């Protein structure tokens, strides 16, 4: 670490931004197998929040890997670094007074714990997007399971790389049991319960 790098105090605080926005800011961390529905539900929640006038942004796996993290692969080491960087970016969004929804498989409990540790305790909501592997494989929206089974992709989560399910997530959504709309509403209801968004919205 360069010792000449000094943190500069910001002129506008996180609290002031939240007050202006009229809502809390936090990370909604969606985790689950490929095809479980992280991107789908995160985007459905994002649209609902947007329509309520709530500042939010979705950070999505593939999009981030096209830019910020395009130097990273899918080895255990690179997956960890991928999540660490995303965690730091998510923290900046929280600081900017917004909800940030992240849609990454994030298979390792330790990596998710690291991100949780980057922010305050009321700023990290872990959402386990639960769906049986067989169902994810049946959906296979990107044809990735097929490729993993054929050996065209290595280190694919659920096939030849492990997924460590969260032990105590704030929320579990069962995408094989409920519709996209119901799953998104479950997240919104949770945010209302915690008073992260105003009741009259
Ligand atoms: N209740 C549901 N919630 C979310 N997705 C659902 C649901 N029911 C069916 N689906 C379908 O499951 C698929 C989920 O794909 P999606 O790309 O969102 O998964 P993902 O978890 O983001 O995967 P990846 O890690 O590969 O990006 C979509 O085709 C979606 O239409
Ligand atoms: Mg996705």
């Amino acid at each position: 670490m360069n010792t000449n790098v000094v943190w500069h105090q910001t002129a506008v605080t996180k609290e002031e931004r939240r007050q202006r926005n009229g809502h809390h800011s936090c990370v909604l961390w969606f985790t689950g197998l490929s095809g479980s529905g992280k991107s789908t539900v995160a985007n459905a929640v994002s649209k609902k929040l947007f329509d309520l006038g709530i500042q939010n942004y979705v950070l999505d796996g593939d999009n981030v890997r096209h830019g910020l993290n395009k130097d990273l692969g899918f080895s255990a080491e690179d997956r960890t670094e991928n999540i660490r960087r995303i965690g730091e970016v998510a923290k900046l969004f929280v600081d900017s007074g917004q909800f940030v929804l992240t849609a990454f498989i994030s298979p390792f409990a330790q990596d998710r714990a690291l991100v949780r540790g980057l922010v305050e305790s009321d700023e990290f909501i872990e959402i386990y997007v639960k769906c049986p592997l067989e169902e994810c494989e049946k959906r296979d929206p990107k044809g990735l399971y097929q490729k993993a089974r054929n050996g065209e992709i290595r280190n694919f989560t659920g096939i030849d790389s492990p997924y460590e399910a969260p032990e105590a997530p704030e929320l579990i959504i069962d995408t094989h049991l409920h519709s996209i709309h119901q799953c998104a509403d479950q997240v919104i209801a949770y945010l209302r319960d915690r008073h992260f968004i105003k009741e009259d919205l």
Side-chain angles (χ1 to χ4, degrees):
M1 164 75 114
N2 188 333
T3 49
N4 294 324
V5 178
V6 178
W7 186 263
H8 192 99
Q9 202 58 41
T10 54
V12 183
T13 67
K14 176 165 63 181
E15 269 321 312
E16 286 171 325
R17 292 181 195 281
R18 285 174 174 172
Q19 260 172 28
R20 158 128 357 142
N21 289 341
H23 55 74
H24 187 58
S25 64
C26 63
V27 185
L28 303 180
W29 190 277
F30 293 79
T31 173
L33 294 170
S34 177
S36 60
K38 301 176 297 296
S39 299
T40 304
V41 177
N43 278 283
V45 172
S46 172
K47 179 71 170 80
K48 284 176 189 279
L49 290 174
F50 181 83
D51 289 344
L52 291 169
I54 291 167
Q55 303 286 350
N56 76 91
Y57 194 77
V58 178
L59 290 174
D60 203 300
D62 290 342
N63 303 0
V64 170
R65 280 185 177 276
H66 273 291
L68 180 69
N69 291 353
K70 69 176 172 191
D71 56 324
L72 301 177
F74 290 88
S75 66
E77 224 172 56
D78 278 6
R79 281 181 193 267
T80 295
E81 176 60 10
N82 182 45
I83 297 305
R84 188 195 68 80
R85 287 187 203 170
I86 291 154
E88 291 288 353
V89 173
K91 183 179 176 170
L92 296 176
F93 272 93
V94 173
D95 203 45
S96 79
Q98 305 192 56
F99 282 81
V100 56
L101 302 86
T102 65
F104 302 89
I105 298 173
S106 45
F108 302 127
Q110 204 179 335
D111 297 346
R112 299 191 300 265
L114 185 143
V115 179
R116 187 184 283 275
L118 290 176
V119 293
E120 303 290 328
S121 59
D122 66 344
E123 294 176 345
F124 188 82
I125 313 304
E126 189 172 17
I127 303 171
Y128 178 22
V129 183
K130 200 171 164 200
C131 186
L133 177 66
E134 307 75 66
E135 172 64 18
C136 293
E137 200 164 350
K138 220 189 294 167
R139 291 178 183 172
D140 206 6
K142 302 177 193 164
L144 297 177
Y145 283 98
Q146 186 71 52
K147 285 188 180 167
R149 291 286 185 199
N150 293 342
E152 289 170 58
I153 306 176
R154 289 273 170 84
N155 297 325
F156 196 74
T157 304
I159 307 296
D160 55 354
S161 186
Y163 177 76
E164 297 170 3
E167 282 179 6
E170 275 71 12
L171 205 56
I172 299 176
I173 50 180
D174 290 288
T175 65
H176 64 303
L177 300 178
H178 306 291
S179 70
I180 296 166
H181 174 72
Q182 285 170 332
C183 291
D185 270 351
Q186 204 186 326
V187 177
I188 299 289
Y190 176 85
L191 297 176
R192 286 190 201 283
D193 274 359
R194 295 275 311 256
H195 303 289
F196 286 171
I197 56 183
K198 282 194 196 139
E199 277 159 41
D200 55 350
L201 279 181

